Amino acid sequence: MLDKIFDYLHFHFSVEAPIVLLILVFLEAVLSADNAIALAAIAQGLEDKKLERQALNFGLVVAYVLRITLILTATWVQDFWQFELLGAAYLLWLVFQHFTSQETDEENHHHGPRFNSLWQAIPVIAFTDLAFSLDSVTTAIAVSQERWLVLTGATIGIITLRFMAELFIRWLDEFANLEDAGYITVAFVGLRLLLKVVNDSLVPPEWLMITAIGLILAWGFSKRTEIEAPQELTEKSEVRK
């Protein structure tokens, strides 16, 4: 029984395995930056900070199950271009919704959507990660055909994504352009999936995507949010003078 499971997972440990695993983890971390911003922005649709963290926790648990399922069925999924088309449409819809919606939080410059409960945010987080995974899983499988390595990389990647999303929730409040920058990179991923459906030869190379995402994120961190000092503190300082 174990032999059959190991054969299905292509579990054959070799000297190169740790190196391949490091490459997969590195790819997950690099390719998850835009994903983390998108998930953080979605979680901000909940007004309570505690609910934001709970939404990320539960949403990424569901996302992990969906991602593992995608890896185990990747060979089958790759035969159906409709999955990539749906993923591209979903990501581009998120981008369209972000840039066309009015600010629902003027203080933090947050664009919709807003959620009335935790359970509304969880499926949006899970399916957003799944749409991103359609691209990242393909990249991971191209690096290694051994499923156990890809599964291990995905496990470490989802944990990394959780902590990155937590950081981005804080940074979204500190940097004025970061949310817009994140959604621009989401548009890149959606367009890349769309190009794979139309004509695979039109898909830009991975290094170009990473460079473009890096430049956009650099712009996102280029301007801090201006925080006005409370009027009371200003009056006190004037009295002291």
Side-chain angles (χ1 to χ4, degrees):
M1 182 67 179
L2 286 176
D3 292 340
K4 292 181 179 179
I5 294 175
F6 287 163
D7 287 339
Y8 178 73
L9 296 177
H10 299 279
F11 189 89
H12 304 291
F13 189 82
S14 61
V15 178
E16 296 83 6
I19 299 174
V20 174
L21 182 58
L22 285 174
I23 294 173
L24 290 172
V25 172
F26 174 75
L27 286 172
E28 284 283 351
V30 171
L31 297 174
S32 292
D34 48 358
N35 191 358
I37 296 178
L39 298 186
I42 290 169
Q44 279 196 326
L46 292 162
E47 296 181 359
D48 187 86
K49 292 294 181 183
K50 183 180 178 181
L51 288 179
E52 287 179 9
R53 294 186 180 91
Q54 289 179 348
L56 284 175
N57 289 335
F58 291 120
L60 287 177
V61 167
V62 178
Y64 177 68
V65 175
L66 294 175
R67 191 182 290 200
I68 295 302
T69 303
L70 179 61
I71 292 171
L72 295 176
T73 60
T75 305
W76 175 75
V77 169
Q78 288 176 341
D79 291 335
F80 295 91
W81 55 267
Q82 290 89 345
F83 287 108
E84 291 178 338
L85 181 61
L86 285 173
Y90 177 75
L91 292 178
L92 293 175
W93 173 78
L94 285 178
V95 175
F96 175 79
Q97 185 184 46
H98 169 76
F99 285 108
T100 58
S101 63
Q102 296 181 345
E103 290 183 0
T104 56
D105 187 344
E106 294 181 359
E107 182 180 350
N108 296 323
H109 304 286
H110 176 75
H111 295 258
R114 282 291 183 187
F115 302 107
N116 295 321
S117 70
L118 177 69
W119 305 110
Q120 288 180 337
I122 289 173
V124 178
I125 289 173
F127 283 109
T128 300
D129 179 76
L130 180 63
F132 272 93
S133 297
L134 288 170
D135 191 44
S136 62
V137 166
T138 303
T139 303
I141 291 174
V143 174
S144 175
Q145 294 296 321
E146 298 195 28
R147 286 191 183 91
W148 75 272
L149 277 176
V150 179
L151 289 170
T152 305
T155 303
I156 298 173
I158 206 82
I159 295 171
T160 304
L161 180 62
R162 171 62 183 85
F163 288 105
M164 288 177 67
E166 181 79 26
L167 283 174
F168 277 117
I169 281 181
R170 188 196 318 159
W171 289 336
L172 284 170
D173 292 335
E174 295 180 8
F175 297 93
N177 298 327
L178 187 56
E179 187 174 9
D180 287 343
Y183 276 97
I184 291 172
T185 62
V186 171
F188 284 175
V189 176
L191 290 173
R192 188 173 190 271
L193 282 173
L194 189 60
L195 287 175
K196 288 178 72 175
V197 174
V198 176
N199 189 338
D200 197 55
S201 63
L202 297 176
V203 177
E206 205 69 53
W207 66 266
L208 185 59
M209 284 288 296
I210 293 174
T211 302
I213 288 173
L215 291 173
I216 294 298
L217 292 184
W219 169 74
F221 284 105
S222 64
K223 181 183 178 182
R224 285 187 174 273
T225 303
E226 295 181 4
I227 301 175
E228 296 182 359
Q231 189 174 358
E232 293 182 2
L233 293 177
T234 305
E235 291 176 354
K236 286 181 180 179
S237 62
E238 290 177 354
V239 170
R240 287 177 184 177
K241 290 179 181 180

